[in-house]
Amino acid sequence: LMWRKKFARRGRTFSLSLGTSLNERDGWGSLYSINDFYNPVGILDLRDTLDQESITSSKLKGYNARAVYTEPIWKKSLMEFSVGKSNTFSESGKTTFDFDPNSKKHDELNESLSNDFENTYAYLNAGFRIRTQRKKYNYSLGLNWQKAELEGKVISGLKDSVISKAFTDLLPNARFQYNFSKFRSLSFNYSSSTNQPNVSQLQPVPDNSNPLMVRTGNPDLKQEFNHTFRANLDLVNSY
């Protein structure tokens, strides 16, 4: 949803936008693996067999709201102010059963590979940007402040844990475009962004989808910070 208001003064606007997300997923999986281990002289020392079934489920719901105000400051320049808020709540569960040779069924609960977790990810950002439009060129310069918070609760048959992370960043951005003619232009774009670790990367629960390389999440993971620079040259032939 989006609502926008134009004021009497040219370039002065105010807008509100709201987006929501909702999804639900269920799954079933099986894992059957035979690994043979040999001693240094080539004699079979150990055979390890995995025969498991797992049931998974996940739900997600969230919203994203943003407000933007623009104000003309020079003849062909605008100052843009923005503020945004986002909140996402997700929950996921996995139940794993080992094969029981007595019952001939997958009915033996594997507590170490069964868990439920809840995750809340929220961020608040605010920023400004200057935009200038000229006949031959246009450019923009901006800076955003962002605070993100991630909270997760892992419920496992062997070990429960609570994960809490907070990140604060300043994210600059810039753009410049020069028009040689109506059909030829050169532009440069720079942007910065962050990528927060998700709960599956943070939770200290083993993932044995590859039995020879069992992976466990790291609660001390930090966020990614990305810088992107892009240059475009547009040349269009018109006949």
Side-chain angles (χ1 to χ4, degrees):
L1 298 173
M2 184 173 183
W3 175 84
R4 188 182 185 195
K5 168 69 175 177
K6 289 185 176 181
F7 296 92
R9 185 178 181 184
R10 185 178 180 181
R12 180 179 293 172
T13 66
F14 180 73
S15 65
L16 291 171
S17 61
L18 175 67
T20 61
S21 57
L22 177 67
N23 65 61
E24 184 173 345
R25 181 179 299 175
D26 297 309
W28 173 89
S30 63
L31 173 63
Y32 185 78
S33 172
I34 299 176
N35 294 310
D36 292 336
F37 300 89
Y38 296 86
N39 62 22
V41 297
I43 299 175
L44 180 65
D45 194 28
L46 173 66
R47 170 166 288 180
D48 183 32
T49 302
L50 280 178
D51 190 355
Q52 298 173 340
E53 290 185 354
S54 59
I55 300 172
T56 59
S57 63
S58 63
K59 296 179 180 180
L60 181 145
K61 55 184 177 181
Y63 71 86
N64 188 333
R66 190 167 186 260
V68 179
Y69 175 78
T70 62
E71 177 70 20
I73 53 176
W74 297 304
K75 187 176 181 180
K76 293 187 177 181
S77 297
L78 292 175
M79 176 71 81
E80 178 184 288
F81 300 93
S82 64
V83 61
K85 178 74 170 68
S86 175
N87 190 287
T88 303
F89 174 78
S90 61
E91 53 184 351
S92 178
K94 180 179 180 180
T95 306
T96 303
F97 296 95
D98 292 322
F99 180 77
D100 187 347
N102 297 319
S103 65
K104 306 298 181 182
K105 296 179 180 180
H106 293 85
D107 56 6
E108 187 175 333
L109 179 65
N110 188 319
E111 293 189 350
S112 66
L113 299 177
S114 300
N115 65 87
D116 296 288
F117 67 85
E118 298 177 351
N119 174 37
T120 301
Y121 176 69
Y123 73 80
L124 176 68
N125 61 29
F128 70 91
R129 183 171 59 163
I130 297 176
R131 294 184 294 164
T132 298
Q133 179 74 44
R134 294 289 190 264
K135 184 177 180 180
K136 280 289 187 179
Y137 65 90
N138 63 79
Y139 67 87
S140 67
L141 297 170
L143 183 68
N144 286 323
W145 169 85
Q146 177 177 285
K147 182 176 182 180
E149 295 181 338
L150 185 150
E151 293 184 1
K153 182 179 182 181
V154 182
I155 304 171
S156 172
L158 298 180
K159 180 182 179 181
D160 295 351
S161 61
V162 177
I163 299 170
S164 181
K165 293 281 187 178
F167 308 97
T168 302
D169 297 284
L170 290 176
L171 306 174
N173 60 84
R175 183 179 187 275
F176 176 81
Q177 178 175 322
Y178 186 84
N179 302 310
F180 299 99
S181 66
K182 185 177 180 180
F183 301 104
R184 298 183 178 185
S185 65
L186 176 65
S187 63
F188 300 93
N189 293 271
Y190 165 74
S191 63
S192 57
S193 63
T194 61
N195 185 24
Q196 324 302 336
N198 57 46
V199 168
S200 64
Q201 295 171 318
L202 295 170
Q203 61 177 337
V205 177
D207 176 6
N208 74 329
S209 54
N210 182 352
L212 297 179
M213 190 175 66
V214 179
R215 179 175 61 87
T216 302
N218 179 9
D220 296 321
L221 278 180
K222 300 183 183 298
Q223 64 177 350
E224 294 179 358
F225 196 99
N226 303 310
H227 299 273
T228 303
F229 181 81
R230 186 176 68 251
N232 293 323
L233 176 63
D234 296 323
L235 302 174
V236 180
N237 290 324
S238 177
Y239 296 98

